[in-house]
């Protein structure tokens, strides 16, 4: 029942960190940071005023974890599991992370995509206890005082959303808070970042979702989304207040902002703050890692690939720019690299002089028309890509004909259906493998089950999950004191991730390491990135650690319970009587 992480996760009776607490009695048990449930020792119960408030049995964390794991296995509905897991987090933080880390492969799809998307749509209906900080457009001029209400004073990482583009689900307003909460769960579970140093934030400027504006259970402002200058002023005030309170090195991750604002804010803030946009840069890094792994499988360098995107928003442009960087690093000119990347959006191919036009962020990938193209299938047949990457969030647009065309054009076609949640994926793993006779290299944003081919071979689809990237990058940035996060950091992260894929895993059809190993993957990535930023002069934490692996691993947060007994000791040889002449 208990997993391979047993060696690193021990109950308090065998390994205990002594922690001073002023809380006693019932408040100690109501605080998820200090609550240990029935794992409080007899001495703790007696000295901290909780004797009699718990059943007499004293349990280990192993037994507690087993109880919750048994209960989870009885549940079949993902949303029910999500509610149950979040309930553990609200009561006993260390036990929550113990359970999550012990079965990360099964539970990540619950606390993160795809179930977190469903939880966001139902946020007002399943609400139990508020998590994170809510800042509304009505709070302009008072953001700092709201930050002062947050109980933790030493925050190192902030994940912020305005709820406009939650996964592929659109504008969910304050219901989008589930995303920063879920992301920061993985900062801790995968990256070992202390949970008290993480702050989820939702900026409420209204919503354009008509169904939410008419829903009596909606929990945000009943107004249309404010797109005036007041919105920009609020975000400016928020950024300034964060660094004023927590320091210039505080990491601020933007999450699920609308396309236009995502690019604007990244460009506006990246040289002024320690910030990145996971939808642009994290997605780009994990997608590039998949392409680099495919490069190993096929034996074709990335400079020889031709990539066609379905979608031309922040994810597509982020991936395209990072692919361009990888190609130029391999010796190709930037101009030639961009010529190998094409994009197809709801209006068709991004080509010069098209009626619908393009925006400034897309200009680098606008090309002369290759001929008559009226559908994505036409684009595949005309451009003849070696890889298609879906990030449109519009559902099953990699049709059977598209997949068959990719199989006809390439011995080993690369098909990435990266849109989230699962219902928005461009195709299923089964379709991709079956329609190419198992020849394709497939990755998806949300998980798909292994596929058994007619010949009996089992292929395990790769999940191009941003969680492979952002926890390790965040840990490295925080530990090394990076002030501004360059795109080269995400290029380094992509290469590090691809290098961790073994030949055996590649033979199984994987393009990414198993999610069960994601904590070690994140640690190794953090080590590599720390080495990189110090080598490139980007790190500002001194003195520079000589043994960077030891430095990174020594900071990892663990789920062992703290010991709250007072630190008592003797004064041997001390006399308490006056000296005699």
């Amino acid at each position: 029942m208990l997993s391979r992480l047993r060696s690193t996760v021990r109950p308090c009776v065998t390994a205990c960190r002594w922690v001073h607490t002023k809380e006693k009695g019932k408040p100690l048990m109501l605080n998820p940071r200090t609550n240990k449930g029935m794992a409080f020792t007899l001495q703790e119960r007696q000295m901290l005023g909780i004797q009699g408030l718990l059943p007499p049995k004293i349990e280990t964390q192993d037994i507690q974890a087993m109880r919750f794991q048994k209960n989870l296995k009885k549940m079949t509905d993902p949303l029910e599991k999500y509610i149950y897991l979040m309930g553990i987090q609200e009561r006993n933080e260390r036990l929550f992370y113990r359970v999550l880390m012990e079965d990360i492969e099964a539970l990540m799809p619950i606390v993160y995509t795809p179930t977190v998307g469903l939880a966001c749509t139902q946020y007002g209906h399943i609400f139990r206890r508020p998590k994170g900080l809510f800042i509304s457009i009505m709070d302009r001029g008072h953001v700092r005082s709201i930050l002062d209400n947050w109980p933790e004073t030493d925050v190192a990482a902030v994940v912020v959303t305005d709820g406009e583009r939650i996964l592929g689900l659109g504008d969910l307003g304050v219901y989008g808070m589930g995303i920063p909460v879920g992301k920061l769960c993985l900062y801790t579970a995968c990256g070992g970042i202390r949970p008290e140093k993480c702050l989820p934030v939702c900026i409420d400027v209204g919503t354009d979702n008509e169904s939410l504006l008419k829903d009596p259970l909606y929990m945000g402002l009943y107004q249309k989304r404010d797109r005036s200058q007041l919105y920009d002023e609020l975000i400016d005030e928020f950024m300034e207040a964060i660094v004023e309170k927590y320091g210039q090195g505080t990491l601020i991750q933007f999450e699920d902002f609308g396309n236009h604002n995502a690019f604007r804010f990244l460009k506006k803030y990246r040289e002024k703050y320690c910030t990145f946009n996971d939808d642009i840069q994290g997605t780009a890094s994990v997608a590039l890692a998949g392409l680099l792994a495919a490069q190993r499988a096929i034996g074709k360098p990335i400079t020889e690939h031709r990539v066609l995107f379905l979608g031309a928003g922040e994810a597509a442009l982020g991936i395209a720019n990072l692919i361009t960087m990888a190609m130029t690093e391999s010796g190709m000119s930037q101009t030639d690299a961009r010529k190998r990347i094409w994009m197809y959006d709801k209006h068709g191919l991004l080509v010069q002089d098209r009626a619908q036009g393009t925006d400034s962020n897309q200009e680098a990938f606008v090309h002369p028309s290759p001929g008559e193209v009226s559908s994505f299938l036409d684009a595949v047949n005309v451009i003849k890509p070696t890889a298609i990457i879906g990030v449109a969030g519009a559902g099953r647009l990699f049709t059977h004909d598209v997949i068959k065309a990719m199989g006809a054009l390439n011995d080993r076609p690369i098909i990435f259906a990266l849109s989230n949640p699962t219902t928005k994926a461009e195709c299923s793993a089964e379709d991709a493998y079956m329609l190419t006779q198992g020849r394709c290299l497939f990755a998806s944003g949300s998980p798909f089950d292994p596929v058994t081919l007619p010949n009996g071979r089992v292929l395990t689809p790769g999940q191009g999950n941003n969680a492979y990237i952002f926890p390790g990058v965040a840990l490295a940035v925080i530990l090394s004191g990076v002030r501004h996060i360059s795109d080269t950091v995400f290029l380094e992260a992509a290469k590090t991730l691809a290098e961790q894929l073994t030949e055996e895993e590649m033979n199984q059809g994987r393009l990414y390491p198993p999610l069960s190993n994601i904590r070690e993957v994140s640690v190794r990535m953090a080590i590599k990135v720390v080495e990189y930023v110090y080598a490139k002069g980007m790190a500002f934490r001194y003195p520079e650690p000589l043994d960077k692996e030891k430095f990174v691993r020594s900071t990892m947060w663990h789920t062992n319970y703290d010991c709250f007994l007072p630190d008592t000791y003797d004064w041997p040889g001390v006399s308490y009587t006056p000296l005699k002449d």
Side-chain angles (χ1 to χ4, degrees), residues 80-91:
E80 182 185 11
K81 289 185 178 183
Y82 176 88
I83 294 169
Y84 184 68
L85 277 168
M86 292 300 106
I88 304 175
Q89 187 186 31
E90 291 166 3
R91 298 191 302 275

Side-chain angles (χ1 to χ4, degrees), residues 3 8 35 58-59 73 85 100 110 154 186 249 278 310 323 336 349 442 468 493 557-558 569:
S3 82
T8 59
N35 182 34
I58 297 170
E59 291 187 336
K73 290 185 185 301
L85 277 168
L100 176 58
I110 303 298
D154 186 20
L186 300 184
D278 187 53
L310 179 62
I323 292 173
D336 287 342
L349 271 181
F442 177 83
Y468 282 116
W557 184 79
H558 58 76
Y569 49 95

Side-chain angles (χ1 to χ4, degrees), residues 66 86 281 370 439 478 521:
M66 183 183 295
M86 292 300 106
Q281 296 159 287
R439 292 181 291 115
I478 292 168
V521 168

Side-chain angles (χ1 to χ4, degrees), residues 518-568:
I518 195 167
R519 189 170 173 99
E520 182 61 23
V521 168
S522 298
V523 172
R524 292 181 185 178
M525 181 175 295
I527 294 166
K528 285 284 190 179
V529 173
V530 166
E531 291 172 349
Y532 177 80
V533 294
Y534 272 106
K536 298 297 181 181
M538 300 179 189
F540 285 86
R541 175 161 294 174
Y542 297 103
E544 177 181 346
L546 297 178
D547 187 337
K548 294 178 177 60
E549 179 172 356
K550 181 179 179 181
F551 169 62
V552 171
R553 292 186 184 277
S554 68
T555 69
M556 302 289 287
W557 184 79
H558 58 76
T559 61
N560 299 349
Y561 284 135
D562 291 329
C563 183
F564 299 116
L565 290 174
D567 184 16
T568 59

Side-chain angles (χ1 to χ4, degrees), residues 360-375:
S360 58
N361 298 306
Q362 299 168 329
E363 285 177 2
F365 304 102
V366 175
H367 306 304
S369 174
E372 184 64 30
V373 173
S374 58
S375 68

